[in-house]
Amino acid sequence: MLSGCDGRHNWMAGAGEESAQVKTLFIVLMIGAGVIWSAVVGAAIYAHKRGAHPNLEREARQFVIWGGAVLPTVLVGALLVWGLIILRDITADDGDLTVRVDGERWWWRVIYETPEGDVITANEIRLSIGQRALFRLTADDVIHSFWVPALGGKMDMIPGRETMLTLTPQTLGSWGGLCAEFCGGAHALMRFDAIVMEPEAFDKWLAEQAEPAKLSADNPGFEVFQAEGCGACHTIRGTDAQGPVGPDLTHLASRDKLGAGMWDMTPTNMARWITDTHEMKPDIDMPPYPHLNGARLDTLVDFLMRLE
Ligand code: CUA
């Protein structure tokens, strides 16, 4: 029951302004519920001990009106107002940075809006500490839910609609993000890292992500990539590979994880991802390439691991 209260998905960590607000709301609700529960049980015990008595009718009516109608109305009304204020704050349509995230089956298309244009990446979100980021969320074909428990609230991603959420990280580190709405076969394997960086490091990272891939197109690994048809689904900016279907791979190796936040970005995992794709992540659209092996596979993996 307490597995969400520790580690990278710790919603009690208060690593963001929004999650700290949610935590305070939760604590106040729990204390309030405890006090009310004790009062109700106490009243029941008192009534049982005192027993029925005709002279008590007026007193009992007053008790029902104040304790049963007025008090709950005031308390629940106050909580509602407070909850709405928090909801307004964490879904407000403003931020120092705008990031569009599109839920796909089962990965995340991530687009940073910058004055120079869109910067496209996938399956990893980086944020600058103290900077309020506005997330504009949507989904491709089924409903997903975007959630970084340590940083803030969770928000549904709905096809054909745009929902909004803000995250203002206050603690450096790599926090875990996940899909919190059952969305089909690989739902449980739909994750991402949310990495909070110092402002200078973040600006440098974003500038690097905006660049095209540094490799020359006559790279032998790129030849395998194109011969196997990978470029029909994946884009590597600066090359002929311009497929719009799967994650953008321009700076694939700069990400910490592989397979939408699931496995460490290592050559071994990459080779396995290519040959045993559905063993690692069942149901996904990417077909496995079991016929790739030996030098050809090594060349392809080496090429992908250089896409920094
Ligand atoms: Cu996407 Cu669950």
Side-chain angles (χ1 to χ4, degrees):
M1 227 170 79
L2 298 176
S3 62
C5 303
D6 191 24
R8 303 179 68 232
H9 298 90
N10 182 1
W11 73 275
M12 301 271 284
E17 259 175 37
E18 291 80 1
S19 62
Q21 279 180 297
V22 173
K23 181 181 167 186
T24 308
L25 180 66
F26 173 80
I27 290 170
V28 170
L29 270 174
M30 288 311 284
I31 293 171
V35 169
I36 291 170
W37 185 83
S38 305
V40 169
V41 170
I45 293 170
Y46 174 74
H48 180 71
K49 284 208 162 149
R50 202 153 174 201
H53 196 287
N55 294 344
L56 283 176
E57 236 175 60
R58 212 182 94 82
E59 196 184 312
R61 201 202 317 268
Q62 290 293 319
F63 186 72
V64 167
I65 291 171
W66 288 100
V70 177
L71 187 67
T73 305
V74 170
L75 284 180
V76 173
L79 279 174
L80 176 68
V81 171
W82 188 24
L84 288 175
I85 290 171
I86 291 180
L87 189 68
R88 187 199 61 191
D89 288 350
I90 67 179
T91 59
D93 182 9
D94 66 345
D96 307 321
L97 170 75
T98 301
V99 189
R100 301 203 302 275
V101 184
D102 192 353
E104 307 271 348
R105 285 184 306 168
W106 284 271
W107 59 279
W108 315 81
R109 194 186 295 276
V110 179
I111 303 167
Y112 284 77
E113 293 182 359
T114 72
E116 291 78 38
D118 287 350
V119 177
I120 301 172
T121 176
N123 299 330
E124 188 183 84
I125 281 159
R126 297 202 181 215
L127 297 170
S128 178
I129 190 163
Q131 189 185 48
R132 182 177 167 100
L134 170 67
F135 286 87
R136 306 176 83 93
L137 308 168
T138 189
D140 194 36
D141 46 16
V142 296
I143 297 177
H144 304 273
S145 181
F146 176 91
W147 194 25
V148 187
L151 296 183
K154 108 174 76 154
M155 185 56 70
D156 278 359
M157 310 172 93
I158 303 164
R161 269 178 62 180
E162 193 178 67
T163 48
M164 281 184 266
L165 179 79
T166 62
L167 295 179
T168 315
Q170 301 290 359
T171 310
L172 295 173
S174 175
W175 302 101
L178 50 95
C179 177
E181 176 87 30
F182 181 68
C183 53
H187 156 73
L189 307 177
M190 184 172 176
R191 298 181 174 234
F192 62 96
D193 284 347
I195 300 167
V196 182
M197 311 171 83
E198 295 284 7
E200 306 80 50
F202 171 77
D203 291 344
K204 184 163 172 281
W205 170 82
L206 190 57
E208 282 167 2
Q209 296 291 311
E211 294 290 315
K214 289 187 193 81
L215 292 156
S216 56
D218 55 4
N219 180 296
F222 182 69
E223 277 167 30
V224 177
F225 185 86
Q226 288 297 64
E228 294 294 334
C230 309
C233 289
H234 294 286
T235 293
I236 299 176
R237 280 175 276 132
T239 74
D240 297 339
Q242 294 291 329
V245 182
D248 185 295
L249 302 183
T250 308
H251 299 288
L252 170 69
S254 73
R255 297 173 205 151
D256 283 357
K257 298 271 171 58
L258 171 69
M262 289 306 301
W263 296 274
D264 288 338
M265 186 69 74
T266 64
T268 312
N269 284 340
M270 181 68 79
R272 207 178 137 223
W273 177 261
I274 294 166
T275 55
D276 301 329
T277 319
H278 292 180
E279 301 291 317
M280 289 177 90
K281 194 157 173 172
D283 291 351
I284 63 169
D285 286 342
M286 175 168 154
Y289 292 79
H291 60 278
L292 271 177
N293 52 40
R296 237 170 112 73
L297 180 61
D298 291 345
T299 311
L300 179 58
V301 169
D302 181 65
F303 163 69
L304 293 170
M305 295 303 294
R306 284 169 196 269
L307 291 172
E308 286 181 338

